[in-house]
Amino acid sequence: MIATEHGLTLCMATALGAYMLAAGAGGIIDRSRWGAVLQELRASQGLAFVAGVVTFTLGAVLILVHNHWTDPLAGFISLVGWVAALEGLTLLAYPKLLLDLSDRLMKPQFINAFMSFAILLGALLLLLGLTGKSGGG
């Protein structure tokens, strides 16, 4: 069992874990999904812009409500917020940079490894979020 100073850390870990489990499982069930997503983002500037707005907004909100670095789990959750905000800003300002990087990382031979990692990390975060104890705030 993990202990963290902030109760919100456990809630965020649970939500992020569920998200990662679902995204990882979806990627394993249909390996063509992530390639199709990247293809659609590349083909539609409007879709890439909206994805950037949503990703930045979610990251910024996470930063505003949970910018805590008091323990490893809290720091990881905060880092996710910062990465999401930067990813969203990159999609808004220069989507080609992020999409080219994603193309290199999401090659078909690596999809199962990435999705398996997402499932394992998601399960760990979900477990920590559901079984952890907080010291208050």
Side-chain angles (χ1 to χ4, degrees):
M1 179 181 333
I2 193 164
T4 184
E5 187 175 325
H6 303 279
L8 185 57
T9 298
L10 299 175
C11 295
M12 295 292 188
T14 302
L16 185 59
Y19 163 76
M20 292 181 79
L21 274 170
I28 295 237
I29 292 168
D30 182 3
R31 281 189 230 128
S32 66
R33 172 183 280 174
W34 291 110
V37 168
L38 291 173
Q39 195 172 33
E40 289 176 23
L41 283 170
R42 191 176 293 285
S44 172
Q45 290 182 10
L47 181 59
F49 184 84
V50 170
V53 169
V54 170
T55 304
F56 171 75
T57 301
L58 289 173
V61 168
L62 184 51
I63 291 165
L64 290 171
V65 301
H66 189 283
N67 195 25
H68 304 291
W69 302 88
T70 53
D71 57 77
L73 183 58
F76 180 78
I77 298 299
S78 297
L79 180 64
V80 168
W82 282 100
V83 169
L86 291 172
E87 181 180 343
L89 290 173
T90 304
L91 274 171
L92 291 169
Y94 190 50
K96 184 179 182 328
L97 175 70
L98 193 60
L99 294 172
D100 287 349
L101 176 63
S102 297
D103 283 342
R104 280 183 255 141
L105 294 175
M106 298 303 281
K107 296 208 179 290
Q109 63 267 30
F110 300 129
I111 293 290
N112 279 347
F114 279 122
M115 296 304 115
S116 297
F117 178 75
I119 289 170
L120 292 173
L121 185 56
L124 177 64
L125 287 170
L126 191 62
L127 180 67
L128 292 173
L130 293 175
T131 63
K133 299 289 181 198
S134 72

